[in-house]
Amino acid sequence: PPAHSHRDWIGPPDRHSNLRPVIFYVPPEESALERRLREARQEAQASNQRFWAQHNRAFRQEKEEFIYSRLKAKGLEMRDESGQKATLNAEEMADFYKDFLSKNFKKHLQYNRDWYKRNFRITFLMGQVALVRALRWLRWRKKNVEQ
Amino acid sequence: GLFVWHLRNTGVRQIPCRFVHLYHVANDRLITFQYFNFLKRMYVTQCNKDLSQRAKPKSDSIVSPFRELQQLDQEKKVVHKISPVSPVHQSWSEMSSRTELREMKSAAETEDSVTPVGAESKEDRQWKEMKLRLDDLPGILARLSKIKLTALVVSTASAGFAMAPVPFELTCFLLASLGTGLASCAANSINQFFEVPFDSNMNRTKNRPLVRGQISPLLAVCFAASCGIPGIALLTLGVNPLTGALGAFNIFLYTCCYTPLKRMSIANTWVGAVVGAIPPIMGWTAATGSLDAGALLLGGILYSWQFPHFNALSWGLREDYSRGGYCMMSVTHPGLCRRVALRHCLALIGLSTVAPVLDITTWTFPVISLPINLYISYLGFRFYRDADRSSSRKLFFCSLWHLPMLLLVMFTCKKSVLEKEDKGDLPGGSHETSVEIRLP
């Protein structure tokens, strides 16, 4: 993002976590409230990024392992004659999906709780910041009108 | 063709108050015709997509093909600098049929076979300023409120209104539809607000406005409040308190029960089915002001319909659900998933038979609806037995046209109000006089 910009910038989805990173703009006269908001958002972003990158990586890895073990049990190689990667059909993969979901169930519950808490807190802070800014602008308008 | 001919015949025979009834029929047919056309387009789009892509199977919801088409259109516009979001978004939200056909053709031509459908356009890969542009706002809000789903919800509510055994009141109908639409917008916005990181990770939902940072969560919540509060107020004050209460309850059920429950237990599907069943009940209570057996029957039909519809859809999304942490029957209890879908297809037959017993429709309704109900039950049985992608897709697409057709048939077989009132009277002559008195 250009150096002179006064706004946040959002990027393309991350390769591992599929989340879009945000670069936050730090205004020179940032108030304490605004700083709290920015830090909360940064912290949430970092935490989400960590969770999903690790989770997706684990998914991909376990999926590979599953395919490999199943193919081996069937006596097939990872790649067939034409060099294409051998895959299992959806019904065989279903066992893996079910397994993966139940394995990560507790992890997801914990993450959900955290995410909801963070989301509410960030939105509430955004509301406060917006309110303060609106009042400030009204006061400035009043001053301008009086002059 | 055969259906329509038969319906027209029955229509003409029944009605004392001919004008109003025909107006109903024309209106409803127009609405469902447009809906049907829209579904046909979706179906054709799906076919095109399948023919041109060879990525791993990915089931699409009603909304996603349009988003994907929109991205492909963007691919053609080579953007080197950050520019405001292209007008493609707006044409999407305006939904002219010509644009869709053009986009469909270009989709079939330009799409590469190997790249997955979520192919990122050049514009998508760039960094974007997080600034809200006012001319993009309508499109963004349309996507935030899932405007197409809202439109379908409003149409089921109007079906409920139309089936109620009372004389048709236009203002009440419009207020009820508007209120329901606003409530639905609010509920959908809150749902998206809650699900940002999960939506980012699923192919079907990764282009939603909050995920892409086109709108801030604060604005999404404010929009939801500014739709929900007037919507419920409109229903409570402009229609009746019962409808308002149902609307508020439905918003609560969807946002605070269904959405969190999706990640905790498979019970979410049943809760979601109730959410889908409430709008026609709301339409009925808006017309009559009370919860009769008829309202519950209509709700029951929609409740049962949700299962073949959703279970078939979720069958193709198992990978995304598993990775995203969603607890769905298709992933955790696949046998149950198919059993429930079949069970509810059969329940639809039963419910259609109950309709004339409750005096809502004539006995022609179960007879005429039997073919389509049997067909969806047959597809449900195939899905149960085969449990593969093709049977799930067939069942899903069938459910898309089955519901509007069923509601349409139900409407045309609706028991006329006057017929019920004049049950003891002489036929013919007295009907004419009663009509004359009513017209101003």
Side-chain angles (χ1 to χ4, degrees):
Chain A
H4 61 267
S5 164
H6 284 269
R7 294 192 178 274
D8 303 333
W9 285 71
I10 190 165
D14 178 79
R15 231 162 45 91
H16 301 291
S17 68
N18 294 317
L19 302 174
R20 288 173 182 261
V22 177
I23 294 185
F24 297 97
Y25 167 65
V26 189
E29 7 44 57
E30 191 183 42
S31 70
L33 188 64
E34 286 171 351
R35 191 172 50 84
R36 275 205 341 250
L37 171 63
R38 182 175 53 85
E39 283 173 358
R41 290 171 77 190
Q42 277 168 332
E43 203 267 315
Q45 183 171 274
S47 158
N48 279 344
Q49 172 73 16
R50 268 197 311 271
F51 177 85
W52 285 104
Q54 183 265 331
H55 180 77
N56 290 339
R57 206 176 300 131
F59 182 80
R60 242 167 291 186
Q61 201 176 347
E62 289 181 33
K63 187 177 171 189
E64 286 293 317
E65 286 169 10
F66 177 81
I67 292 179
Y68 182 67
S69 66
R70 276 292 169 94
L71 285 174
K72 229 166 130 204
K74 290 207 287 191
L76 299 166
E77 287 302 314
M78 274 303 287
R79 286 175 191 279
D80 62 20
E81 302 86 45
S82 58
Q84 291 271 20
K85 230 171 151 195
T87 50
L88 300 171
N89 69 29
E91 298 322 309
E92 294 168 320
M93 293 305 300
D95 291 330
F96 167 68
Y97 297 143
K98 178 173 172 183
D99 212 34
F100 187 80
L101 188 65
S102 41
K103 263 199 293 192
N104 288 279
F105 184 65
K106 279 224 171 68
K107 198 168 77 160
H108 277 297
L109 279 183
Q110 180 63 36
Y111 174 74
N112 290 344
R113 240 191 309 256
D114 287 341
W115 158 247
Y116 271 68
K117 266 196 284 203
R118 280 207 190 93
N119 198 19
F120 278 127
R121 182 155 175 268
I122 290 174
T123 311
F124 185 69
L125 282 171
M126 277 183 172
Q128 282 182 312
V129 167
L131 201 65
V132 163
R133 281 200 192 134
L135 288 172
R136 206 185 306 155
W137 180 81
L138 280 171
R139 239 176 283 143
W140 174 85
R141 264 271 311 262
K142 211 170 109 184
K143 213 167 26 144
N144 264 12
V145 165
E146 280 170 5
Q147 278 177 352
Chain B
L2 193 66
F3 262 176
V4 178
W5 171 84
H6 184 94
L7 294 171
R8 222 174 269 141
N9 255 5
T10 19
V12 170
R13 234 184 295 135
Q14 273 181 347
I15 325 136
C17 195
R18 201 170 298 188
F19 172 75
V20 177
H21 194 86
L22 281 180
Y23 168 72
H24 277 333
V25 175
N27 240 11
D28 206 52
R29 255 196 222 139
L30 182 64
I31 295 170
T32 42
F33 175 70
Q34 283 174 340
Y35 175 48
F36 193 59
N37 248 11
F38 154 69
L39 291 174
K40 271 204 297 217
R41 269 184 250 123
M42 310 274 6
Y43 183 57
V44 178
T45 319
Q46 302 275 34
C47 286
N48 270 354
K49 285 233 114 37
D50 274 346
L51 291 171
S52 54
Q53 90 183 37
R54 264 182 268 131
K56 62 180 177 210
K58 231 173 279 189
S59 175
D60 309 293
S61 74
I62 293 180
V63 196
S64 63
F66 280 91
R67 278 199 220 106
E68 287 150 3
L69 289 169
Q70 166 187 298
Q71 271 186 314
L72 290 162
D73 222 38
Q74 282 179 335
E75 261 176 14
K76 290 195 284 189
K77 304 182 182 159
V78 178
V79 179
H80 292 294
K81 58 175 169 65
I82 312 291
S83 61
V85 178
S86 71
V88 175
H89 286 281
Q90 282 163 337
S91 69
W92 170 85
S93 59
E94 281 155 11
M95 253 181 52
S96 70
S97 54
R98 249 171 274 124
T99 329
E100 284 159 7
L101 286 169
R102 227 185 303 128
E103 284 180 339
M104 263 163 46
K105 287 206 193 89
S106 65
E109 284 161 5
T110 60
E111 187 169 16
D112 248 359
S113 51
V114 188
T115 51
V117 170
E120 293 167 305
S121 60
K122 266 209 164 76
E123 213 175 287
D124 208 37
R125 270 190 293 241
Q126 287 170 321
W127 281 78
K128 290 227 188 80
E129 195 181 9
M130 280 179 93
K131 174 187 175 168
L132 186 64
R133 293 179 181 87
L134 281 175
D135 36 332
D136 299 332
L137 195 60
I140 292 174
L141 290 181
R143 256 170 296 159
L144 186 68
S145 60
K146 296 192 217 173
I147 197 86
K148 284 190 207 158
L149 180 62
T150 298
L152 298 182
V153 166
V154 170
S155 64
T156 56
S158 19
F161 192 96
M163 286 308 299
V166 289
F168 183 78
E169 281 175 39
L170 187 64
T171 41
C172 191
F173 174 72
L174 291 175
L175 288 176
S177 302
L178 183 62
T180 309
L182 288 173
S184 170
C185 288
N188 288 328
S189 309
I190 297 288
N191 169 270
Q192 290 198 18
F193 165 71
F194 281 159
E195 303 252 285
V196 177
F198 315 116
D199 284 345
S200 326
N201 273 284
M202 290 188 47
N203 276 309
R204 186 172 69 99
T205 51
K206 62 188 180 187
N207 284 314
R208 289 184 169 171
L210 281 170
V211 173
R212 298 176 86 175
Q214 291 171 316
I215 196 175
S216 78
L218 178 69
L219 209 57
V221 174
C222 290
F223 173 70
S226 61
C227 281
I229 297 175
I232 300 297
L234 190 65
L235 288 175
T236 318
L237 303 171
V239 180
N240 59 54
L242 177 60
T243 314
L246 281 173
F249 176 65
N250 213 18
I251 295 181
F252 166 74
L253 205 60
Y254 184 61
T255 57
C256 303
C257 298
Y258 172 68
T259 304
L261 212 54
K262 279 204 294 193
R263 310 185 59 80
M264 296 200 287
S265 140
I266 59 171
N268 69 76
T269 312
W270 283 266
V271 173
V274 175
V275 172
I278 288 185
I281 299 181
M282 281 168 67
W284 182 288
T285 58
T288 64
S290 65
L291 261 180
D292 325 298
L296 296 176
L297 179 78
L298 263 177
I301 287 182
L302 252 97
Y303 176 81
S304 282
W305 176 83
Q306 304 288 336
F307 289 99
H309 175 77
F310 181 72
N311 286 359
L313 172 68
S314 68
W315 197 255
L317 294 171
R318 281 179 288 180
E319 170 161 6
D320 274 353
Y321 281 148
S322 166
R323 188 167 56 87
Y326 284 108
C327 297
M328 299 294 175
M329 269 194 280
S330 58
V331 181
T332 57
H333 298 78
L336 178 69
C337 180
R338 300 188 326 266
R339 270 201 310 275
V340 164
L342 178 60
R343 212 185 290 161
H344 282 272
C345 287
L346 298 170
L348 282 171
I349 302 180
L351 286 168
S352 304
T353 325
V354 173
V357 173
L358 292 174
D359 247 7
I360 305 170
T361 64
T362 61
W363 278 97
T364 47
F365 174 60
V367 174
I368 302 181
S369 64
L370 195 63
I372 51 176
N373 284 339
L374 279 179
Y375 183 60
I376 200 176
S377 303
Y378 167 68
L379 289 180
F381 175 70
R382 287 289 300 273
F383 176 50
Y384 173 72
R385 198 192 55 184
D386 302 337
D388 62 357
R389 186 167 167 68
S390 82
S391 52
S392 71
R393 283 172 67 82
K394 281 209 191 92
L395 181 60
F396 173 69
F397 285 119
C398 173
S399 74
L400 291 180
W401 60 255
H402 170 270
L403 182 68
M405 187 129 280
L406 188 72
L407 292 176
L408 179 65
V409 170
M410 192 181 218
F411 182 73
T412 45
C413 294
K414 175 184 174 187
K415 217 167 204 168
S416 157
V417 181
L418 292 170
E419 203 180 273
K420 272 188 275 183
E421 286 175 0
D422 301 332
K423 249 189 182 141
D425 291 354
L426 299 160
S430 51
H431 287 293
E432 296 306 310
T433 44
S434 55
V435 169
E436 267 159 12
I437 291 168
R438 258 169 239 251
L439 294 172

